[in-house]
Amino acid sequence: EGIKMETALIAKDPKQVDKSQILQLVTFTLGGEEYAVDILKVQEINRMKEITRVPNAPYYVEGVINLRGKVIPVVSLRKMFGLPEEEDKTQQKIMIMDIQGVTIGLIVDTVSEVLRISTSIVEPPPAMTYTVSSEFISGIAKLEDRLIILLDMDRLIGKEETQGMVTMAEKTAIEN
């Protein structure tokens, strides 16, 4: 799809940039803010598809999807961050991610690009940060004309939640 690649390096000579200091991120928007996650966590990006609701699921779990025969729980990041529902859902995507060894789908407003940035332009999160609890933020990347909030997915969706989602997905798969 229309995801562009971009490299934002501060060093003048790319040969001087140590490869370990480069972060590869997938950026996405949510409620007008730009966020990013480590590209290694992202397995694939899908268009919105039909989601099967699951009774008694946590408020931020939209339900489950069938992805090539595997039942995957889907989480609304908007709900998790306490943002209102998106009116225009035409651009929404489901990012299929590996979070603590569990495959989970995350609904985001749009997926923007794959970005390579130097760790030198990432600052620690400020004490008080926008709509997202700062404990889930690993840093803020300062590019020339924008700020990108880097999310720590393992902290955002903790071990208890992932285990609960696995159980929920397995129960749903058995019932269907």
Side-chain angles (χ1 to χ4, degrees):
E1 271 181 73
I3 299 171
K4 60 182 181 178
M5 297 279 285
E6 191 176 312
T7 302
L9 299 177
I10 299 307
K12 300 275 182 264
D13 181 3
K15 288 182 211 86
Q16 292 175 355
V17 177
D18 178 357
K19 287 278 183 259
S20 67
Q21 294 179 317
I22 300 294
L23 295 174
Q24 290 202 56
L25 307 166
V26 175
T27 66
F28 60 91
T29 59
L30 210 58
E33 298 285 350
E34 198 168 11
Y35 297 90
V37 291
D38 185 332
I39 196 167
L40 297 176
K41 294 239 171 252
V42 181
Q43 295 176 351
E44 60 186 272
I45 297 163
N46 291 315
R47 288 183 181 166
M48 205 53 175
K49 48 176 61 192
E50 194 174 320
I51 297 172
T52 304
R53 296 239 174 249
V54 178
N56 303 323
Y59 71 95
Y60 54 83
V61 175
E62 289 295 314
V64 293
I65 57 171
N66 180 344
L67 189 65
R68 294 184 289 284
K70 191 172 180 194
V71 177
I72 296 172
V74 177
V75 169
S76 165
L77 272 187
R78 272 185 166 271
K79 286 184 180 174
M80 207 168 213
F81 293 173
L83 297 170
E85 275 292 309
E86 170 69 286
E87 271 132 51
D88 179 17
K89 296 182 184 223
T90 58
Q91 297 296 307
Q92 283 189 327
K93 300 279 187 271
I94 300 176
M95 291 173 54
I96 306 298
M97 299 184 72
D98 179 344
I99 301 172
Q100 301 195 18
V102 177
T103 304
I104 295 173
L106 295 179
I107 300 173
V108 298
D109 292 353
T110 61
V111 174
S112 317
E113 63 191 329
V114 172
L115 190 63
R116 290 167 44 89
I117 62 169
S118 165
T119 53
S120 66
I121 65 169
V122 177
E123 292 196 357
M128 243 176 49
T129 311
Y130 318 117
T131 53
V132 188
S133 175
S134 54
E135 66 191 279
F136 308 135
I137 298 175
S138 56
I140 309 274
K142 292 189 317 182
L143 278 70
E144 281 175 25
D145 55 346
R146 61 198 227 231
L147 293 175
I148 300 174
I149 301 167
L150 309 183
L151 294 177
D152 180 334
M153 294 313 297
D154 290 335
R155 276 194 267 170
L156 182 63
I157 299 176
K159 203 71 178 158
E160 287 169 31
E161 283 103 338
T162 54
Q163 287 317 117
M165 286 185 215
V166 168
T167 307
M168 179 190 71
E170 286 168 350
K171 273 180 28 192
T172 307
I174 291 165
E175 289 164 12
N176 291 333

